[in-house]
Amino acid sequence: MSIYDQVEIEDMLFDTDLQIYTYPCPCGDKFQISLLDLLDGSDVAVCPSCSLMIQVIFEPEDLESAATESVLQPVAVSA
């Protein structure tokens, strides 16, 4: 697996409605990783428009505030 860059979670934006962290991708879209994925130990955010991936650098306590703000409810996704 080839990682484009490493990004601190503090540099990412958190969407409380979708419960995802995003970061701008050079292709013009955004890297995305869900709060649940991070809580499960994943640390790779992917861009849905290209093949680039970034490694998210964080400590578990970095996720505590986001987890309490969002109440961790399932989000319906339509395809």
Side-chain angles (χ1 to χ4, degrees):
M1 174 171 38
S2 179
I3 300 295
Y4 169 72
D5 200 0
Q6 293 180 328
V7 176
E8 297 280 341
I9 199 162
E10 294 86 11
D11 296 330
M12 300 180 79
L13 295 176
F14 182 65
D15 184 317
T16 56
D17 292 331
L18 297 177
Q19 299 178 359
I20 61 171
Y21 282 90
T22 61
Y23 187 79
C25 180
C27 78
D29 203 347
K30 296 178 181 175
F31 295 102
Q32 301 176 355
I33 189 166
S34 74
L35 176 58
L36 289 176
D37 286 341
L38 289 165
L39 290 170
D40 283 343
S42 295
D43 67 349
V44 176
V46 298
C47 176
S49 296
C50 70
S51 61
L52 293 179
M53 295 179 276
I54 57 171
Q55 181 179 19
V56 180
I57 308 301
F58 69 98
E59 297 294 328
E61 52 270 7
D62 294 335
L63 305 177
E64 291 175 6
S65 63
T68 56
E69 288 174 15
S70 63
V71 190
L72 292 179
Q73 297 178 4
V75 175
V77 177
S78 59

